[in-house]
């Protein structure tokens, strides 16, 4: 078996997942970049390979177990799984539909559970799993379904970590604050600007700042740290919640 550790990153076609794929490849991992957006994923994986990084693309829907299994089984080893795929949309609580709520839970929670479980089953030598929650897990307005999904990710992370610690699998979560990605840029520009003003220092985080925290939990030297949720939000989780 090759000595090079293999890291899988879901949601890697853009935003935080893409920044994480690049960072983990720079850190020496072979990276399997997974996303359902095949076209953008191929483009970004080719760009990173062109930089001399060991990155391969796998088209995966995180809610489709067969596609996750195929991506994992194409590699000789599984050392790290980063579950960064996720969706967000706005809805006032009084208008929120069951369909929107179920879809949010499906992608953000079940879409974390499936890759994490399949990875853990293959981590025969131990490993690290990193989930992506959100500062939004603490609460907020206009997105009760997202808040619920990201609070569930923290619960899932803690439960997985406790069950997997005897198998030497560390499981931690990174909870970003407002970050400049295609997800947040899909909001109208004036709304993005207004949200950004609410951040410490009046600036959104950049995806590489979040990838830095993910890379910390993904590193072999961090394997004794588990069951943790790390808020990466410039300190806003201590107060001034709005989004
Ligand atoms: P993004 O929307 O820019 O990128 C998400 C990626 O996930 C996309 O490439 C999309 O194609 C992929 N994806 C979505 N559903 C998928 C599925 N079923 N199967 C496979 N891939 C799928 O989002 P961003 O901002 O990079 O967010 C990444 C993670 O960080 C998400 O879990 C998000 O909830 C979380 N987060 C983001 C924050 C932000 O301010 N951008 C703040 C806190 C958490």
């Amino acid at each position: 078996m090759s000595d090079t550790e293999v890291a899988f990153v879901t949601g890697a076609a853009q935003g935080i997942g893409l920044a994480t794929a690049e960072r983990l490849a720079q850190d020496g991992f072979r990276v399997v970049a997974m996303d359902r957006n095949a076209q953008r994923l191929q483009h970004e994986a080719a760009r990173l390979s062109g930089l001399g990084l060991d990155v391969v693309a796998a088209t995966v829907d995180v809610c489709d177990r067969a596609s996750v299994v195929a991506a994992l089984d194409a590699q000789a080893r599984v050392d790290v799984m980063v579950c960064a795929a996720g969706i967000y949309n706005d809805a006032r609580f009084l208008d929120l539909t069951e369909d929107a709520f179920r879809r949010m839970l499906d992608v953000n929670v079940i879409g974390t559970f499936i890759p994490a479980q399949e990875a853990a089953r293959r981590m025969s030598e131990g490993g690290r799993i990193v989930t992506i929650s959100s500062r939004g897990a603490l609460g907020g307005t206009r997105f009760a379904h997202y808040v619920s999904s990201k609070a569930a990710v923290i619960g899932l992370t803690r439960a997985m970590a406790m069950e997997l610690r005897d198998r030497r699998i560390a499981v931690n979560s990174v909870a970003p604050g407002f970050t400049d990605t295609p997800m947040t840029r899909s909001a109208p520009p004036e709304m993005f600007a207004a949200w950004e003003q609410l951040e410490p220092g009046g600036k959104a985080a950049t995806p590489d700042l979040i990838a830095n925290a993910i890379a910390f939990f993904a590193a072999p030297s961090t394997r004794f740290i588990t069951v943790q949720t790390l808020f990466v939000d410039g300190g806003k989780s201590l107060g001034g919640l709005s989004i």
Side-chain angles (χ1 to χ4, degrees), residues 83-103:
C83 302
I87 58 170
Y88 171 87
N89 48 64
D90 254 35
R92 292 185 184 281
F93 177 70
L94 294 180
D95 303 325
L96 187 54
T97 66
E98 287 166 46
D99 278 354
F101 209 133
R102 287 208 173 89
R103 180 70 190 142

Side-chain angles (χ1 to χ4, degrees), residues 5 72 79 123 182 208-209 214:
E5 289 204 339
L72 290 166
D79 299 283
M123 289 175 169
D208 61 299
L209 292 174
I214 296 168

Side-chain angles (χ1 to χ4, degrees), residues 10-19 34-38 40-41 58-64 67-68 83-88 103-104 106-108 111-112 131-136 146 149-150 153 174-186 192 204-205 207 210 214 232:
T10 73
Q14 63 184 37
I16 291 168
L18 175 58
M34 303 154 79
D35 205 286
R36 67 178 171 188
N37 185 337
R40 184 183 289 274
L41 181 68
T59 304
V60 162
D61 183 328
V62 289
C63 299
D64 171 22
S67 72
V68 173
C83 302
I87 58 170
Y88 171 87
R103 180 70 190 142
M104 189 69 78
D106 203 27
V107 178
N108 291 1
T112 295
T131 66
I132 310 300
S133 177
S134 167
R135 185 183 61 217
Y146 185 78
S149 73
K150 292 302 187 177
V153 166
V174 170
F178 187 64
T179 306
D180 189 347
T181 69
M183 177 184 276
T184 47
R185 287 285 177 183
S186 66
F192 183 96
I210 310 303
I214 296 168
V232 184

Side-chain angles (χ1 to χ4, degrees), residues 6 8 72 75-81 119-120 122-124 126-127:
V6 180
F8 296 77
L72 290 166
Q75 303 298 321
R77 53 189 291 168
V78 179
D79 299 283
V80 171
M81 172 61 75
R122 290 162 176 77
M123 289 175 169
S124 49

Side-chain angles (χ1 to χ4, degrees), residues 11-31:
Q14 63 184 37
I16 291 168
L18 175 58
T20 301
E22 180 167 7
R23 170 60 191 269
L24 295 185
Q26 288 167 346
D27 288 354
F29 290 96
R30 175 177 179 76
V31 173

